[in-house]
Amino acid sequence: MIVITPKLDMESKEALYIQLYKYIRNEIMEGRMEKNSKLPSIRTLCDHLNISRTPVVLAYEQLLAEGYIQSKARSGFFIMDIAESSFFSSDTLIEEKNNILSSPSRLYHASKYEEVLYDFGYGSVDLENFPFIKWKKMMNRCLLPESSELLLYGDLQGDEELREEIAVYLHQIRGVRCSPQQIVIGAGTYHSLDLLFQLLKEDVSLLALEKSVNDGVQTLIEQYRFGIHSLELEHDGVRMEDVYKSKAQAVYVTPSHQFPFGMTMSVNKRIKLLNWANEEQAYIIENDYDGEFRYNSRPIPSLQSFDQNERVIYLGTFSKALTPSFRISYLVLPTRLLERFRKKKHSYDQLASPIFQKTLQMFMKSGDFERHMRKMRNLYKKKHDILLQAIHEYLGDNVTIIGAGSGLHILLEVRNGMTEDELIESAKQRGVKIYPTSVYALEGEQSAMPAILLGFGGLSEERIVLGIEQLKIAWGME
């Protein structure tokens, strides 16, 4: 039997029975009272709410009249299946329920409720090759009684031994020079950026950014009310003239694989950007979200590795290397910002699970992470090459590929007369989910030629080819 505890206002001009009726009706409509559930008897509800019999009787009668509940002889009152009620249409109810209950949509990959055959989401990774057995074995060790401290809050800065492993890994793979004491573990990129912006509030009133930026980063920046200066993008990174004119106290860049356009910042521009930051005493925020993956050229060290004056703040994540669900990111802070962090000039509380942190630390220390990364680089390179080959074979000169050679996504400029929305919708009709790029424009500008984002990490080699073949049909490129 359902327990009903509405908020009844005895001083309200609205009658008690109407308040009770509206409460039960809304609970039913919003799915919190399931069909066929039994309501409390009139006497039971009167006693529970400490009200007279009349309001309860009148509320139940109104619900009965409108078809929300039904009365069964000698059994009581039960919730009706509203979708089958003659008072309501199923379509209206489904739409209303979806409007109330559905979560905000995300651009990373298709949801489990979407019927998608080929999902080119850039946030997807290859889950079939995740090291389930090894990870489970190490996580089980974290859940033994002798590791019970992992069930508590954990170190505010993050597991110390994990920070030691990350420092070694970053130096070997990305050339980052830092001590474990400079690293702060976060619960995802936006979580780490949120902390960073709190630490920067004293120094930064104007922030310069690449003209196209992840939408989540844009939303986060808006909350801090930084002044914004857009930086034009060239084939080798941000246009330096825009940086010089910006008068910004900090610059946000994705130099290893610009998101979403995919270009890599040249060494020459990296040096110029560092010189500017040193002269202006400004900070560079380097988001190296997928810098581990380069396929057709030698690795380029991080921007931070060139820094001699602690002007670069390095931001990274394990979302691409492992899986986004673990929510483990990290900041490498210059000394001045590290001091602010330790003086708690922020509202930050360590949210990345201590259990996941310790599991990752053991995974890295054992050498299994390094082996996993070698395997995934080879796998993603193969998928990357298959994707490019399929595009050349099926789409030919109708498209231009942008940002190939690194990361887990590319962009596709399409020349068939369709708009971005039309390209996405026609692909959807063929069971293919592709993603827009216009949403990332910092100032709402849209390029003359529509560009589509294609992620390939989560698709098998076969489905990559089949998906591109379907795009050929959807876009009329027979």
Side-chain angles (χ1 to χ4, degrees), residues 64-83:
L64 280 166
E66 294 183 9
Y68 289 102
I69 65 175
Q70 62 178 324
S71 176
K72 296 182 180 179
R74 293 185 296 278
S75 296
F77 299 95
F78 294 84
I79 306 298
M80 285 280 285
D81 183 352
I82 303 301

Side-chain angles (χ1 to χ4, degrees), residues 181-194:
Q181 288 71 38
Q182 289 178 262
I183 297 174
V184 179
I185 306 295
T189 296
Y190 303 148
H191 184 250
S192 289
L193 273 176
D194 188 22

Side-chain angles (χ1 to χ4, degrees), residues 206 208-211 229-234 237-248 251 269 273 276:
L206 181 62
L209 303 97
E210 299 156 330
K211 74 170 188 177
H229 185 90
S230 176
L231 303 174
E232 190 65 35
L233 290 166
E234 300 174 330
V238 295
R239 186 162 64 191
M240 288 306 302
E241 289 77 10
D242 291 355
V243 176
Y244 299 144
K245 294 176 184 176
S246 70
K247 301 187 184 303
V251 172
K269 281 194 174 178
L273 188 59
W276 168 83

Side-chain angles (χ1 to χ4, degrees), residues 149-156 349-350 352 354 357:
E149 74 280 357
L150 295 176
L151 300 178
L152 301 175
Y153 285 103
D155 191 308
L156 184 67
D349 191 9
Q350 215 296 311
Q357 288 187 60

Side-chain angles (χ1 to χ4, degrees), residues 202-463:
E202 293 180 23
D203 299 325
V204 177
S205 59
L206 181 62
L207 179 65
L209 303 97
E210 299 156 330
K211 74 170 188 177
S212 283
V213 180
N214 182 289
D215 57 325
V217 175
Q218 290 184 42
T219 302
L220 186 60
I221 289 170
E222 289 170 2
Q223 295 177 23
Y224 284 87
R225 298 185 178 179
F226 293 123
I228 297 299
H229 185 90
S230 176
L231 303 174
E232 190 65 35
L233 290 166
E234 300 174 330
H235 73 280
D236 60 345
V238 295
R239 186 162 64 191
M240 288 306 302
E241 289 77 10
D242 291 355
V243 176
Y244 299 144
K245 294 176 184 176
S246 70
K247 301 187 184 303
Q249 296 85 39
V251 172
Y252 172 91
V253 289
T254 50
S256 294
H257 190 222
Q258 198 281 330
F259 185 86
F261 287 102
M263 68 277 291
T264 299
M265 185 181 291
S266 65
V267 172
N268 182 47
K269 281 194 174 178
R270 291 175 188 234
I271 294 171
K272 287 181 178 180
L273 188 59
L274 285 166
N275 289 339
W276 168 83
N278 192 40
E279 290 170 7
E280 299 295 329
Q281 291 297 288
Y283 285 111
I284 301 169
I285 304 169
E286 177 183 12
N287 186 349
D288 199 23
Y289 65 99
D290 64 359
E292 299 98 334
F293 302 108
R294 292 193 71 81
Y295 309 120
N296 300 321
S297 60
R298 64 182 181 180
I300 297 179
S302 66
L303 183 58
Q304 195 268 3
S305 68
F306 293 87
D307 183 19
Q308 302 290 331
N309 301 290
E310 290 199 295
R311 305 317 308 173
V312 177
I313 304 156
Y314 185 85
L315 168 65
T317 174
F318 288 96
S319 292
K320 302 295 186 185
L322 287 170
T323 167
S325 70
F326 293 158
R327 312 311 300 146
I328 298 180
S329 57
Y330 48 86
L331 285 168
V332 178
L333 294 177
T335 303
R336 184 178 179 186
L337 296 181
L338 186 62
E339 290 173 356
R340 285 185 192 168
F341 174 80
R342 289 177 173 165
K343 289 178 181 177
K344 294 210 69 176
K345 293 190 174 183
H346 53 83
S347 61
Y348 173 86
D349 191 9
Q350 215 296 311
L351 296 177
S353 164
I355 294 174
F356 283 155
Q357 288 187 60
K358 180 54 69 175
T359 304
L360 177 56
Q361 182 269 325
M362 291 189 291
F363 192 62
M364 296 179 81
K365 188 175 180 61
S366 68
D368 286 323
F369 179 72
E370 182 182 353
R371 287 186 283 272
H372 175 69
M373 287 303 298
R374 283 201 302 268
K375 176 182 178 180
M376 298 313 291
R377 283 192 199 96
N378 291 332
L379 178 64
Y380 287 143
K381 180 184 187 305
K382 190 174 182 182
K383 290 186 178 186
H384 167 271
D385 294 345
I386 286 173
L387 173 63
L388 299 190
Q389 182 180 346
I391 290 171
H392 288 306
E393 180 179 349
Y394 291 106
L395 306 181
D397 295 334
N398 298 295
V399 300
T400 299
I401 298 170
I402 303 174
S406 58
L408 299 184
H409 78 271
I410 63 165
L411 260 64
L412 213 57
E413 276 190 351
V414 185
R415 295 182 296 276
N416 68 346
M418 288 183 175
T419 64
E420 182 184 78
D421 289 342
E422 289 170 343
L423 291 169
I424 292 171
E425 182 58 32
S426 60
K428 181 180 178 182
Q429 299 303 317
R430 304 294 304 182
V432 183
K433 189 171 176 73
I434 56 177
Y435 296 79
T437 57
S438 60
V439 295
Y440 303 119
L442 197 58
E443 297 176 344
E445 59 194 48
Q446 206 162 352
S447 58
M449 191 70 63
I452 296 301
L453 193 152
L454 297 179
F456 54 86
L459 285 169
S460 67
E461 297 162 17
E462 179 184 11
R463 296 184 82 77

